[in-house]
Structure formats: structure tokens, C-alpha cells
Amino acid sequence: MVRGVGRTEGFLLAGVVVAVLVVTGIQARSPGTWLLEVVWVLIGLPLVVALRKRFPLTRLLCWLLALHAIVLCYGGQYTYAETPAGEWVQGLMGTQRNNYDRFAHVVQGFVPAIAVREVLLRRTPLRPGAWVAFLTVCVCVTIAAGFEFVEWFSALVAGSGADDFLGTQGDVWDTQWDMFLCLCGAVLSLLIWRRVHDRQLAGDRAG
């Protein structure tokens, strides 16, 4: 049996995510933008709960997914470009833009990297090593590129009405930065969590 979260811990994590969804949704500056930003949480949380017996996730992945959900909800509440945390860092560092979206794109690689790695190691003949790392990073960057296509399509359909969702803040290289930071997040995650993840997956195989 997978070394995942216990029943109480699982309910706690799900409860925190639901609470953050409710609070940020009520206080969202742009409800439409908030919905677009958190739709992945609205899809992902029920999916994880529904599959918890058939495909229980490792404890590491559950906590990372909860973290990612909070990052998305907070960014959606303030349309990323106006997050207080980002403004605080902007004042501290003296940057010209609110860089919370940059942080969010690092997380976009940091968390999915473990999710992709877990699926590859549990549902394919692959074993931990260079090929798994390479494929994991490739999938994460592909997902990031897919999000950029969604943003591009949104801009074509909504024009300036999609500015809050795009969050470029006038940076012509925003798309390239987003994908690059996702790449960095994925690589960093593998370097940090590989051994921990392997131990939890080993508990899965031993069970």
C-alpha cells in the first residue's frame, strides 16, 4: 500500500484547499479571472478524492498538490499582478513588476514534476534514472507550453478583456519566462525530492 497520507491528514489537506477556494472566491477582485485560474483545482481535487483507493498518491505529492492549489487560488484572487505578497517583494527588491506570477510558474514545474514522475514509475516499466528525469521535465515543459496556447487563444477571443488572465504586465518575453521558469522548477523539484519520493514509492512496492 502506498506510503501516502492517513485518512485524517487527507481530510485536513482537502479541507484546507476547499477553505482557501471559498475565501479567495468570495474575495476575488475579478471572479471570472479567479475561476479561470482555479479551474484546475476544481477539477483536480475531486479527481484525487475519487481515485484515492484505486490510485492513492504518495504523501509528498499530496502535500505538494495542496501547496500548488493554494498558490493558484491566491494568485487568482488578486489576478497575480496585484498580489500583496508580490508587491511586498517588489518593494523589497526594487523590481519594476509584481513577480508573483514568476513564482507561480516555478511552482507549475515544481509540483507537476513529482506527479508526472509518480505516474511514470507506477504505471510504466520505467525505473528511476535519467530517462524518467528527462521525460518528467519534457512533460512539465509541454504542459507549460499548453497553458501558453490557452492564454494566446484567450487573448484572441477576449482581446484586452483577457489582460488580467494573461498577467504579462507589459513584458514582451513573458511567455518565454513562463516556460523557462517551469523548466527550472521541474529540475529543482527532481533534485530536491527524488530520494524522498523513491523511499515513498518503495513503501508502495513493499506493500
Side-chain angles (χ1 to χ4, degrees):
M1 186 174 182
V2 70
R3 190 182 300 176
V5 297
R7 184 180 180 87
T8 301
E9 188 177 1
F11 278 122
L12 175 63
L13 285 175
V16 168
V17 172
V18 170
V20 172
L21 271 170
V22 172
V23 171
T24 57
I26 292 173
Q27 299 181 354
R29 296 190 178 181
S30 172
T33 300
W34 173 86
L35 183 60
L36 288 172
E37 299 291 358
V38 306
V39 66
W40 310 110
V41 182
L42 297 175
I43 294 172
L45 180 58
L47 187 62
V48 169
V49 172
L51 296 176
R52 69 188 185 282
K53 293 183 179 179
R54 186 185 311 173
F55 192 80
L57 304 178
T58 57
R59 188 172 189 229
L60 171 64
L61 181 53
C62 288
W63 278 88
L64 288 176
L65 288 174
L67 169 66
H68 198 179
I70 293 171
V71 169
L72 291 173
C73 291
Y74 181 72
Q77 177 184 352
Y78 294 101
T79 68
Y80 284 91
E82 300 176 4
T83 55
E87 290 176 350
W88 179 79
V89 173
Q90 182 179 4
L92 183 68
M93 304 295 293
T95 59
Q96 295 183 342
R97 72 192 301 279
N98 186 321
N99 282 321
Y100 182 82
D101 66 320
R102 303 285 200 231
F103 165 72
H105 280 285
V106 172
V107 176
Q108 186 188 40
F110 192 82
V111 175
I114 300 303
V116 172
R117 189 175 191 270
E118 185 150 325
V119 171
L120 288 175
L121 290 176
R122 293 175 65 183
R123 286 293 182 264
T124 74
L126 293 169
R127 292 292 179 264
W131 271 111
V132 168
F134 173 73
L135 291 174
T136 296
V137 172
C138 285
V139 172
C140 290
V141 175
T142 299
I143 293 172
F147 276 115
E148 299 306 320
F149 282 125
V150 171
E151 291 185 354
W152 172 55
F153 182 73
S154 299
L156 291 177
V157 172
S160 60
D163 287 349
D164 285 342
F165 179 54
L166 296 177
T168 61
Q169 300 182 63
D171 186 353
V172 296
W173 301 109
D174 186 69
T175 296
Q176 288 78 11
W177 270 113
D178 291 350
M179 292 186 289
F180 172 70
L181 291 173
C182 176
L183 168 66
C184 292
V187 172
L188 180 64
S189 183
L190 294 178
L191 292 174
I192 292 175
W193 297 120
R194 178 178 57 85
R195 295 183 184 277
V196 174
H197 197 217
D198 283 344
R199 286 197 296 268
Q200 294 189 6
L201 290 173
D204 175 26
R205 290 189 289 273

